Amino acid sequence: VYYVGAGPNLTKARQGRLLTLGGVKVGFLAYTEVGPGFTYTREPQHWAATDELPGVVPARVDYVRDDIARLKQVADLVIVSFHWGKEYEHFPTPKQKLLGKTAVAAGADLVLGHHPHVLQGLSLGADGIIAYSLGNFIFDQTPEATRQGLILEAACDRHGVRQLRCTPLRIKDEQPQVAEGEEARRIMRMLATISQGLTE
């Protein structure tokens, strides 16, 4: 199992991962917001990697910009994962927007966010796609919004994302199921609503 966004020290954690998939060189990077509301285990650093300590890569604009630019020199595509945002909020925070736009401007083709436990909108820009949060997939939370999610399939070639397919899902008894009928339409209408204004 490959991992990304963590390592025995900050330098190694920021390296990312380069895989050749179907003849396409795909680079992967991952970051997490740290601090109150996210991680608490090692005060004051939390889970953040340092020069001497293992951990995760903090979601910092300079790290995002530099790491993507470096990886883009050897990768056809760059996919970035962020653990970010506010739980149970359908709209991204200003920091999420800044980090997502920074990633796309630096060369990321696809940005995938998680942590809010509910759906957040999509930004469908010409230079890259940002999925701020796909909601939950397998989880035991009970509020209705936390039992909704989205399967996002991206068809890519070495020039970027060529096609997206969004499949709405619901969680029943901690099991993901494809939503159907009016429930599926309701989830997709909500996605359209919360995505308004995110693409510039």
Side-chain angles (χ1 to χ4, degrees):
V1 176
Y2 295 114
Y3 66 90
V4 67
N9 57 54
L10 182 59
T11 299
K12 290 188 181 289
R14 290 179 59 191
Q15 283 180 340
R17 178 84 54 186
L18 183 66
L19 302 176
T20 301
L21 306 169
V24 179
K25 293 179 181 177
V26 184
F28 295 90
L29 293 163
Y31 304 88
T32 187
E33 284 192 60
V34 294
F38 289 93
T39 54
Y40 305 98
T41 60
R42 191 174 64 211
E43 298 289 347
Q45 291 91 3
H46 309 284
W47 287 352
T50 70
D51 291 340
E52 299 85 24
L53 295 173
V56 298
V57 183
R60 288 178 32 173
V61 167
D62 56 338
Y63 290 173
V64 171
R65 185 186 304 116
D66 295 347
D67 296 348
I68 293 171
R70 174 181 36 80
L71 195 54
K72 196 69 174 181
Q73 293 176 4
V74 294
D76 299 313
L77 297 173
V78 174
I79 299 174
V80 182
S81 173
F82 282 100
H83 178 254
W84 63 4
K86 290 178 104 176
E87 289 184 333
Y88 317 118
E89 294 287 333
H90 285 292
F91 298 95
T93 65
K95 184 171 184 181
Q96 283 177 272
K97 291 179 184 178
L98 174 62
L99 289 165
K101 290 175 183 178
T102 298
V104 169
D109 299 281
L110 182 60
V111 173
L112 301 171
H114 57 101
H115 174 69
H117 294 288
V118 297
L119 286 172
Q120 291 185 339
L122 299 176
S123 173
L124 308 174
D127 295 327
I129 309 295
I130 305 169
Y132 284 100
S133 174
L134 299 177
N136 282 336
F137 186 72
I138 299 175
F139 221 96
D140 63 353
Q141 293 175 312
T142 55
E144 178 65 23
T146 66
R147 290 186 285 121
Q148 298 173 341
L150 194 69
I151 298 170
L152 182 68
E153 297 174 83
C156 306
D157 62 21
R158 66 189 59 231
H159 303 293
V161 178
R162 294 300 178 212
Q163 187 175 3
L164 286 180
R165 178 165 60 189
C166 298
T167 302
L169 61 87
R170 67 183 302 269
I171 300 170
K172 182 178 180 184
D173 300 324
E174 290 78 52
Q175 301 291 317
Q177 301 174 349
V178 173
E180 297 179 341
E182 181 54 33
E183 183 175 40
R185 289 188 288 275
R186 186 171 61 250
I187 292 170
M188 294 308 289
R189 283 195 300 267
M190 183 182 68
L191 179 64
T193 298
I194 61 179
S195 297
Q196 289 180 9
L198 293 180
T199 302
E200 296 179 356

